[in-house]
């Protein structure tokens, strides 16, 4: 089984393909048909949660939305991931809130990146939506 972490954006992230950027991005166009995204630019992402959250905080502008999803391949390329919209997670980086099917939570304003990195921010069962509004 192979797991791929994907994000979808409204604008390309080519300016982040520089040597000093620690977050690796690979085009996810080959998987685009399999993914439940609504955004046009798809990338496969590597790195840990705190690094990814820091990237999003720097990359996203006011009003931006980024979607994230884990795609798991089983044998012969058959997807093991399923999309259950009722389990979707929404994270607002501006207001520092985390919302899942159980409720909405305010993150600590001083250590919100650490708080968020300890929560589930990606799933093979639903799309996570990051927003900055």
């Amino acid at each position: 089984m192979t797991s791929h972490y994907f994000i979808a954006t409204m604008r390309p992230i080519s300016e982040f393909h520089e040597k000093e950027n620690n977050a690796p991005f690979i085009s996810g166009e080959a998987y685009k048909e399999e993914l439940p995204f609504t955004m046009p630019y798809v990338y496969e992402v590597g790195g840990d949660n705190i690094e990814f959250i820091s990237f999003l905080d720097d990359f996203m502008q006011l009003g931006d939305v980024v979607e994230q999803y884990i795609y798991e391949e089983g044998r012969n390329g058959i997807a093991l991931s399923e999309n259950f919209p009722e389990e979707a997670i929404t994270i607002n980086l501006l207001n520092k809130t985390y919302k899942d099917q159980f409720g909405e939570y305010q993150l600590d304003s001083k250590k919100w990146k650490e708080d968020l990195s300890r929560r589930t921010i990606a799933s093979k069962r639903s799309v996570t939506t990051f927003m900055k509004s």
Side-chain angles (χ1 to χ4, degrees), residues 23-87:
F25 297 96
I26 303 168
S27 174
E29 289 296 315
Y31 290 89
K32 200 170 184 175
E33 298 290 320
E34 306 289 327
L35 303 171
F37 289 139
T38 61
M39 309 280 172
Y41 299 99
V42 177
Y43 300 93
E44 188 168 355
V45 182
D48 65 8
N49 281 349
I50 195 83
E51 191 176 275
F52 177 67
I53 294 164
S54 293
F55 159 75
L56 286 179
D57 194 36
D58 291 340
F59 171 73
M60 293 177 73
Q61 299 172 356
L62 192 61
D64 273 355
V65 175
V66 171
E67 297 172 329
Q68 183 180 26
Y69 185 69
I70 299 174
Y71 180 77
E72 286 189 353
E73 285 181 304
R75 292 179 183 218
N76 301 320
I78 298 170
L80 298 176
S81 299
E82 296 183 52
N83 186 29
F84 297 101
E86 66 275 7
E87 295 182 22

Side-chain angles (χ1 to χ4, degrees), residues 77-132:
I78 298 170
L80 298 176
S81 299
E82 296 183 52
N83 186 29
F84 297 101
E86 66 275 7
E87 295 182 22
I89 297 168
T90 303
I91 299 167
N92 189 320
L93 299 179
L94 186 64
N95 295 334
K96 314 293 189 269
T97 58
Y98 175 95
K99 183 179 177 183
D100 61 13
Q101 76 247 33
F102 303 111
E104 187 169 350
Y105 311 94
Q106 185 68 47
L107 301 168
D108 184 297
S109 62
K110 294 184 184 193
K111 55 179 185 160
W112 68 273
K113 288 181 184 178
E114 292 81 14
D115 286 352
L116 190 54
S117 71
R118 288 190 286 273
R119 293 184 179 268
T120 300
I121 62 170
S123 172
K124 69 176 186 169
R125 295 178 53 88
S126 64
V127 173
T128 299
T129 303
F130 292 89
M131 55 194 337
K132 203 167 199 178

